[in-house]
Amino acid sequence: MPEGDCTERRHQIGETEVEALLRCICFKTGPPRTTGVELEWLVHELRSPRLPVSSDRLEEAYHALRAVPLQSLLTVEPGGQLELSSLPASSLMTCIRSVSTDLDAVRGVLRGLGLALSGLGQDPWHPPRRLLRKPRYDAMEAHFDRTGPAGRAMMCSSASVQVCLDAGYEEPGPLGHGRRWRMAHLLGAVLVAAFANSPVHRGRRTGWRSTRQAFWAEIDPVRALAPPLDEEPRAAWATFVLDAPVMCIRADEGPWTVPDGLTFREWVRTGEPRPPTREDLDYHMTTLFPPVRPRGHLELRMIDAQPGESGWIVPLAVTAALFDDAEAAETAYRTVKPLAETAGLRPAPRNPLWINAARYGLADPELHSAALACFAAAVEALPRIGASAEVRDAVVAFTDRYVARGLSPADDLYWKDVQP
């Protein structure tokens, strides 16, 4: 299909056109050249993270931050979490340097207002509280409330490190898009386990190393699931998008409609309550939250936010090395391929492999063994993809402190001052 046909927007679309568009735009193949990261942070009082920040103080802080020149896109999540989204960077180090500079500027503004950022996958102290009152989030909350409380916890209390990588080559091989797609869903469980950092919710241990991941798995019966991995990726994604329930139908005025059980395929076929457009398709895809989301590139969404000012660099560097260095990618794929047997036929994140990763972290022997091999391959690959000695040392330090001992950052939090 010509490139113009992939990007042109029309007023109304049919089912055949939707399928063609989805196949065209979900995996844009070519040599892996760019890297990106999206960082979500909880915001808390500088003097004590247990103290809730008033909505007025958050509004003041965000107003001040809008005046700061940044290379990254700064946005606010429904519960007041801050998100920094990098531009596609030509290398891992370019991405790290630009985001680090932006974070320094953001922290400086917040510090002057008595606020700070926390790298935690889930707010361990406060119940979900929505700050943003927008039609999108009103509709999202209404939709998720039909399933249970997990949706509000995800919207208002969670934070992550999302790694964005090119889809890969069209042809087979260690950097081919088909293998990268499959590996992302198996290695993804290893990343959940290694970087789990949310064992506490509302002051109590939950029994999960990654409570954030446990919530994500329960937000919705369909939209948080991965498409079938035994199908061709483009076809599987197109089917998934069409058969996923529509979260909301936007309106120029008043509240948005929140249909119950209407799939995008049914909406296209019936044209009710109004015919969908290309813009509606694009918006529908932003309301789907699988652990790996193809957006032309691959968006890996399963990693908890990390502790420390630069803890986010380690998952970014490890993931980039394992995907973009051909030798490391081959090692990682051979390592995680047997995990498919544990995963079974259920989609991530609701299969046994992903549940074990979220619940036990690297205390799970199978995931621990896979993490040891993958982190070793990443450490060796980092110089080959241009990572600095400082970044390599950070990955080695994380490996020694956590991976080698079968631990994750969650284990630092698990025994701290929380109620049993």
Side-chain angles (χ1 to χ4, degrees):
M1 179 178 289
E3 179 65 20
D5 291 340
C6 292
T7 57
E8 182 183 355
R9 295 175 181 271
R10 300 186 177 96
H11 291 296
Q12 184 177 343
I13 50 177
E15 187 173 349
T16 301
E17 183 186 358
V18 170
E19 289 184 348
L21 282 166
L22 290 170
R23 287 170 180 266
C24 182
I25 64 178
C26 57
F27 295 90
K28 295 191 176 180
T29 52
R33 291 196 178 106
T34 59
T35 303
V37 69
E38 299 174 20
L39 303 178
E40 295 172 338
W41 301 88
L42 303 177
V43 182
H44 63 81
E45 294 285 355
L46 184 61
R47 65 187 187 276
S48 173
R50 296 196 191 201
L51 296 176
V53 184
S54 71
S55 58
D56 288 344
R57 279 172 48 70
L58 286 173
E59 289 285 0
E60 178 189 9
Y62 301 151
H63 179 75
L65 287 171
R66 291 186 189 102
V68 178
L70 302 172
Q71 298 178 72
S72 307
L73 175 66
L74 178 72
T75 55
V76 180
E77 294 296 299
Q81 311 98 305
L82 275 183
E83 180 175 351
L84 277 175
S85 302
S86 75
L87 296 173
S90 59
S91 70
L92 170 66
M93 290 309 302
T94 300
C95 182
I96 289 173
R97 291 189 187 106
S98 65
V99 176
S100 296
T101 299
D102 288 344
L103 276 170
D104 287 344
V106 168
R107 286 194 176 99
V109 171
L110 293 178
R111 193 178 303 114
L113 297 171
L115 301 174
L117 301 177
S118 280
L120 294 164
Q122 197 75 30
D123 190 324
W125 307 116
H126 310 124
R129 177 195 60 169
R130 188 151 65 95
L131 175 69
L132 298 186
R133 298 290 166 182
K134 296 183 177 180
R136 172 182 171 90
Y137 299 126
D138 292 343
M140 185 178 290
E141 185 175 270
H143 173 85
F144 286 140
D145 281 352
R146 291 171 178 161
T147 302
R152 291 196 184 205
M154 175 277 290
M155 290 173 60
C156 302
S157 304
S158 69
S160 68
V161 175
Q162 297 178 17
V163 179
C164 299
L165 302 166
D166 287 327
Y169 287 99
E170 185 66 29
E171 59 268 19
L175 302 183
H177 79 281
R179 182 179 289 194
R180 285 162 77 87
W181 175 245
R182 183 170 179 79
M183 187 171 86
H185 290 87
L186 296 173
L187 179 64
V190 179
L191 298 176
V192 169
F195 296 110
N197 188 38
S198 52
V200 178
H201 180 57
R202 302 186 73 168
R204 293 182 178 273
R205 301 176 198 136
T206 64
W208 298 82
R209 292 300 192 272
S210 178
T211 303
R212 172 187 166 274
Q213 185 59 52
F215 281 138
W216 270 101
E218 297 300 324
I219 62 171
D220 180 281
V222 175
R223 70 182 62 250
L225 302 184
L229 295 184
D230 57 354
E231 299 179 11
E232 192 278 322
R234 290 186 175 93
W237 179 248
T239 299
F240 175 77
V241 172
L242 275 165
D243 291 338
V246 175
M247 177 179 285
C248 55
I249 297 176
R250 295 172 296 164
D252 293 333
E253 296 181 0
W256 295 358
T257 302
V258 184
D260 191 359
L262 175 71
T263 68
F264 200 87
R265 190 187 302 275
E266 291 167 340
W267 189 14
V268 170
R269 288 177 176 178
T270 65
E272 297 294 339
R274 62 166 175 78
T277 65
R278 169 66 193 276
E279 289 81 0
D280 290 316
L281 173 64
D282 291 344
Y283 196 85
H284 174 59
M285 286 191 285
T286 72
T287 71
L288 303 178
F289 306 113
V292 183
R293 186 161 62 181
R295 303 179 63 187
H297 60 275
L298 300 183
E299 181 184 80
L300 280 69
R301 306 171 50 83
M302 72 288 295
I303 301 170
D304 280 0
Q306 295 297 288
E309 292 195 353
S310 57
W312 59 274
I313 292 174
V314 174
L316 171 61
V318 168
T319 307
L322 294 177
F323 275 86
D324 289 351
D325 178 81
E327 184 178 339
E330 184 66 32
T331 298
Y333 185 71
R334 289 200 310 267
T335 297
V336 302
K337 188 177 180 181
L339 299 180
E341 185 174 347
T342 299
L345 298 178
R346 298 194 68 187
R350 294 202 188 128
N351 63 48
L353 178 67
W354 279 68
I355 292 171
N356 288 345
R359 185 179 291 280
Y360 303 116
L362 294 185
D364 178 90
E366 186 178 38
L367 289 162
H368 182 211
S369 177
L372 287 170
C374 288
F375 273 72
V379 168
E380 291 183 4
L382 283 170
R384 296 196 293 267
I385 64 170
S388 66
E390 184 179 11
V391 169
R392 187 178 186 275
D393 289 347
V395 174
V396 169
F398 185 96
T399 304
D400 291 344
R401 179 173 179 176
Y402 297 114
V403 179
R405 300 162 62 199
L407 302 174
S408 66
D411 292 289
D412 290 342
L413 295 169
Y414 197 81
W415 300 111
K416 287 194 173 181
D417 184 22
V418 295
Q419 299 178 37

